[in-house]
Amino acid sequence: MGFTILRPGGFASNAFAWTEPVRARRPVSAPFADVALPVVDPADIAEVAAAALREDGHAGRTYELTGPEAISPRGQAPVISEALGEEVALVELSREEAHARMARFMPEEVIDGTLDVLCVPLPAEQKTSSDVERILRRPARPFGASVTRNLPAFRWSPPWGARKTPPPRTDGRTEAGSRPQTQAGSARSAGRGHLGTTPLITPPQAGAEPQPRSAAQARPALEAGQ
C-alpha cells in the first residue's frame, strides 16, 4: 500500500467565518490583521488528492500545499469587498479578544497554538510552495477564486416573503463610504503550539464549504493510496 502525504497550510475557506457579519453589513474581525499567510483553496487540495490517487509517480511523496501568495486578513477584506461590490470593513482584535471568541467553539488547548502561529508565523509557514502548480499543471488558485466561487455565502438575501432591502450598515460607515473607527489589537506573543491557520472567530455558516475548526486540523496529513 503506497501513500502520499498532503500538507496544506491555512484554508482560504476560513473566510467563511466572516459570512454572517458581511451579510449583516457589519465589520469583520480578526487578530494580527497584517500578518500574511499563503492560504490554499480547498478545491486545489481536493484536486491534488485526486491526482495522487489516480496518477502514477506520487507514492511516498510529501506535498506542501499553499496558495500562490501570502495574504493577510486586512488584504482579504478588500478582495471580498470587490467581489460583492460593497465595502467590507475590518476591525482588528487584540489577542485577548480573539481568544475569548475562539473559546466559544475551539478547544482551549488549541487556541493558544493557533494564535501563536497567527501572531508570529515561522518562515516556513509564510512560504509559498509550487507543489500545487507542479501537480495540477496550472497555478494555484488565489484567495479571490474561493470568494468568487462561493459569493452567495457572503451576499445578503431576504427570507422568503421578507423585505427586499438589505439591513443598514452598522460599521460606522454611511452609504457614501465614510471611514469607520477601528480597534487596533496590541497583544503579541511568541512561542509555538499547534500548526495554525486563519482564525475562525465565529462558527461556520450554513451554505459554506467545509472548513477546519482547529489549528490541528489546518494542516492534515492526508494519505492517498496508490
Side-chain angles (χ1 to χ4, degrees):
M1 175 67 72
F3 67 89
T4 303
I5 297 175
L6 309 184
R7 299 184 62 193
F11 283 39
S13 56
N14 281 338
F16 287 132
W18 289 347
T19 56
E20 182 177 356
V22 170
R23 288 197 301 262
R25 310 186 85 193
R26 301 195 307 268
V28 300
S29 58
F32 320 122
D34 295 308
V35 177
L37 294 169
V39 296
V40 61
D41 192 318
D44 281 350
I45 302 173
E47 289 187 32
V48 170
L53 286 166
R54 300 171 63 181
E55 299 174 1
D56 295 331
H58 300 291
R61 301 288 185 89
T62 298
Y63 297 127
E64 303 285 343
L65 307 183
T66 72
E69 61 183 356
I71 185 169
S72 67
R74 201 181 304 279
Q76 292 176 11
V79 174
I80 299 172
S81 175
E82 181 176 358
L84 283 173
E86 62 180 70
E87 191 140 17
V88 175
L90 182 138
V91 174
E92 184 172 7
L93 301 175
S94 69
R95 184 184 179 106
E96 291 75 17
E97 289 170 331
H99 189 287
R101 296 193 185 193
M102 295 166 77
R104 300 173 189 171
F105 58 91
M106 185 178 287
E108 184 70 27
E109 61 272 16
V110 174
I111 296 174
D112 284 333
T114 301
L115 290 173
D116 286 346
V117 172
L118 296 173
C119 175
V120 189
L122 296 171
E125 292 164 342
Q126 292 184 295
K127 182 180 178 181
T128 59
S129 167
S130 62
D131 285 348
V132 169
E133 182 171 4
R134 181 160 52 85
I135 296 165
L136 300 182
R137 302 175 184 86
R138 61 157 177 80
R141 292 178 173 93
F143 173 75
S146 175
V147 173
T148 300
R149 192 173 65 251
N150 297 284
L151 200 57
F154 294 93
R155 195 181 298 281
W156 181 86
S157 60
W160 180 259
R163 65 174 188 170
K164 298 186 182 300
T165 57
R169 303 195 70 95
T170 58
D171 59 4
R173 293 179 185 268
T174 65
E175 293 304 322
S178 58
R179 295 177 61 84
Q181 294 182 346
T182 60
Q183 301 171 354
S186 58
R188 299 290 187 271
S189 69
R192 310 223 72 69
H194 297 74
L195 291 174
T197 183
T198 311
L200 296 176
I201 300 305
T202 57
Q205 304 299 315
E209 290 181 348
Q211 58 180 324
R213 292 178 63 93
S214 72
Q217 292 174 307
R219 280 194 169 179
L222 305 179
E223 296 187 356
Q226 301 299 307

